[in-house]
Amino acid sequence: MDNPRNYSISLSKSSPFGQFLIAYRPGLFAISFFFIYCLAYLSTGSTTVGSSVIALPGDEICGNLIDDDGDGYIDADDPDCIAAGTCGCPPGGIVYDTISSGHTIPLGASHCITEDVVLTDAWNNINLNGNLYLVDTAHLFIGGGINVGTEGTLIVCNNASYVHQQTGNDYESIYNFGWLQISGTVTNIDTLVVGENSLTALSGNGLNINDELAYVGSAANNAYLFLDISTTLNGSSGNVCLPGGTPEMIVEVDAANTTPTCVTDCNGCPELASISETHNDGSVETAYEAIINGLPPTLEICDNLADDNGDGRTDEPYPGGVESNMQLWLKAETGTNTMVNGNSVTSWADQSTNFYSANADVNATDWPVYNDNAINFNPGIDFDGTYTDDFSDGLHLGADYIYSTNEGIHIFTVVNPTGPNSYSMVYDFGGDQTESYGFSWAVNTTRINTPSGHGGTSGYNVHASGWRPHLVGFEIGFNDRQRLFRNGSNIYSNSFSLSQLTSNEISESDHYGTAANGDDTSGPVSIGRKSATQDLQTNNRIFNGSISEVIVYNDTLSSDEIKQVNSYLALKYGLTLNHDYFASSGTAIKQPFDGYDNNIFGIGRDDCSGLYQKQSQSVEDEGIFTLSLGTQAVNNQSNANSFTEDAVFLIVGDDGAAADSWSNIGGSHPTFNRVGRTWKLDNTNLTNLNISTSLYFTVDVDDPDLNIPALPVGAIGSYKILFDDDGDFTSGSSLSLDLSNT
């Protein structure tokens, strides 16, 4: 058989599934969280609760174009004038999607943050002299000190959140209409205003609310105030009141013999409720524990037609259905600036709720390119493995850094290496090995690294996995070990004492630097090259090959979660795993230890994973079969056929038997001869109603790694494929179909 040939068949919707093999017949030849609430606000300086009038801090008269209270703000610029339902950046406010440490809000100015910001310098993260608004779904985390002037005011709008962790915290005025947590040894707040259904958590050794605590809202709603104070509350009195008395306050005080109660001049408000009580919207104790312990935000529920996690999307998918703590999801079939084969890729949009973007550096002169058929009919981004200059060759997240103070980090990637360079960096973040984490992958070697200057370690491994695609996973388990996985199997491990990955351990930068500028020893989260440009040219630390998908979680995952993400990637890219394959629902769809655990591939649709694979073959050397909806197209995205229902899968694996000779089947088919190898089809929910076309099998009979034996000299006829439910192919009920030469 000198010329390569493919043979194919079409199966109608009513064709049976089971085991199949390649055969021929002599004479007739054949080949057989955040908590988010709907809030209301004041449009004037007071509100009525029952029969009591609550005076808000200050006495600005809204709408008279005068700075009545002398704080430098007029009307809508003054936090006292936040209008009902319109907490947002006021007129004249300056909008920032990000800020850096040392940011200053001058007296009389309003600055508005609209995105997530993490600041972790020891001091001077923010100099707050004016108004700082957190609007939209902004989340501001400060892990260090801030400076607050006498007119410094923090306003947290609905759906926004603020977290501050520092030994001592001193604030003038805080307006919280969303979610707020402050922890430290001692916290001093002059004025605290809380809105309807807002969550305010204050924890530490002592808390002093020096001027006024006020509730803004109707008597029908509540404000949830969690006070986890181990020594003193307002000095030693233990007195905290909400004027009007109708909203519930949830309080925990750890100090002995301290029971918070309301004083007599608080309009008769009742004794503060115990933390263990259940109130109008469920268990507040559960809510409190979620805040203090940093539990994940509300998760998206797939297929309920609702935006559960509040990110503006409905029923969005997650890899394998695993959502918690996902920080980055890059997949080459969506989000790239180009989808034209061979064109330069300069941006690659993140599909996680962070909405990051992996971009070429602003000074780059050479870029990776788009490959519309990189791995198993799916696209990828090709990196050439060759150093161009300090700014080029990779994609990075700029000032969007991926850290973790959880249990660790887990990174999943699908790569196809095309070179032996052991420094072929897939993912990297930081400086040299003492202050960075990441890994490389080449055809025969890999390197993994965590900050050795902070208890991490680096390792070099010879794996000899060869010139084929792989699912490469890098798991960092704090205070334990780092592990590298290939197609679900642990191939390398190092023990270490690393306890976290933050700016203390990572030498980060928002750009690629140069030795001449003195900024080459740090770098951003990078895809396809080393983060810091130090030694980049010397060791040519550029990935050589295609990267089709990158998924990052800033926590360790359970065994089941890892299997679900692996299954999504393996089915999509034709990769063979060493464990069960699972749908995003957790349902097992393929058990590899059934005797047919070689060269596994398949097609299917899983909306909650974002999986829609319409044609597939195993990327292993002996993957000679291709399965497709309708006629095989040039790539998966070009296949116009469809599954008409969700959660359907057809997965194929073989028994690994030899396929280099013919043997007689016997039984009801005494004239048929077969190859030794058998393939098995696992069908999940695939019926004759939920595909839009016929199924096609194509077999490469001239594959150099699994060459089907030539037919006997003088034989006439066509190749066949045999299907059978019991696997022995001797039954008369077996289905025999002709293969046509394509």
Side-chain angles (χ1 to χ4, degrees), residues 411-670:
I411 305 171
F412 301 82
T413 62
V414 176
V415 301
N416 187 14
T418 55
N421 178 15
S422 62
Y423 289 99
S424 192
M425 299 303 298
V426 177
Y427 179 103
D428 194 39
F429 179 31
D432 61 19
Q433 67 179 20
T434 66
E435 293 183 306
S436 69
Y437 74 93
F439 66 97
S440 69
W441 186 269
V443 297
N444 53 4
T445 57
T446 184
R447 293 173 180 268
I448 57 177
N449 182 73
T450 46
S452 59
H454 302 273
T457 186
S458 62
Y460 174 82
N461 177 247
V462 177
H463 56 75
S465 297
W467 307 72
R468 69 174 71 92
H470 307 282
L471 163 53
V472 181
F474 182 32
E475 181 187 55
I476 302 170
F478 295 148
N479 297 305
D480 184 14
R481 65 186 60 246
Q482 58 187 22
R483 299 192 295 171
L484 193 75
F485 296 84
R486 174 192 173 274
N487 295 351
S489 297
N490 182 201
I491 64 171
Y492 191 56
S493 177
N494 299 109
S495 299
F496 62 25
S497 60
L498 178 71
S499 62
Q500 63 178 12
L501 284 171
T502 70
S503 60
N504 293 323
E505 293 76 33
I506 302 299
S507 181
E508 84 279 0
S509 172
D510 64 357
H511 65 282
Y512 295 138
T514 65
N517 292 331
D519 57 356
D520 64 333
T521 60
S522 59
V525 175
S526 297
I527 309 299
R529 60 157 275 174
K530 186 176 182 287
S531 175
T533 54
Q534 184 184 39
D535 299 330
L536 182 64
Q537 181 176 12
T538 303
N539 293 298
N540 204 36
R541 299 184 178 189
I542 312 297
F543 183 70
N544 192 354
S546 293
I547 300 177
S548 287
E549 202 140 343
V550 179
I551 304 166
V552 182
Y553 293 87
N554 70 340
D555 204 352
T556 55
L557 274 62
S558 69
S559 175
D560 287 344
E561 288 173 329
I562 293 172
K563 290 177 181 178
Q564 286 180 218
V565 178
N566 283 345
S567 298
Y568 153 73
L569 293 171
L571 191 56
K572 183 175 182 178
Y573 294 104
L575 301 161
T576 301
L577 300 175
N578 69 338
H579 58 68
D580 288 0
Y581 289 63
F582 293 90
S584 62
S585 63
T587 301
I589 56 177
K590 168 68 179 177
Q591 295 177 317
F593 304 113
D594 58 356
Y596 301 90
D597 51 5
N598 302 281
N599 308 302
I600 298 173
F601 68 99
I603 59 176
R605 171 182 167 184
D606 190 347
D607 292 349
C608 292
S609 276
L611 176 70
Y612 207 136
Q613 193 66 25
K614 294 180 281 189
Q615 56 187 54
S616 182
Q617 67 179 154
S618 170
V619 298
E620 301 298 325
D621 291 340
E622 295 186 353
I624 65 171
F625 267 98
T626 302
L627 176 61
S628 63
L629 280 179
T631 305
Q632 180 180 317
V634 63
N635 50 40
N636 190 64
Q637 56 266 40
S638 298
N639 190 323
N641 300 295
S642 62
F643 296 101
T644 57
E645 295 178 18
D646 183 22
V648 294
F649 308 92
L650 188 61
I651 303 177
V652 181
D654 67 65
D655 60 4
D660 57 357
S661 62
W662 301 105
S663 61
N664 188 260
I665 293 178
S668 300
H669 296 290

Side-chain angles (χ1 to χ4, degrees), residues 318-319 322-329 352 354 551-553:
Y318 290 87
V322 179
E323 178 179 354
S324 296
N325 298 299
M326 188 177 74
Q327 297 299 300
L328 182 70
W329 188 11
S352 81
N354 290 319
I551 304 166
V552 182
Y553 293 87

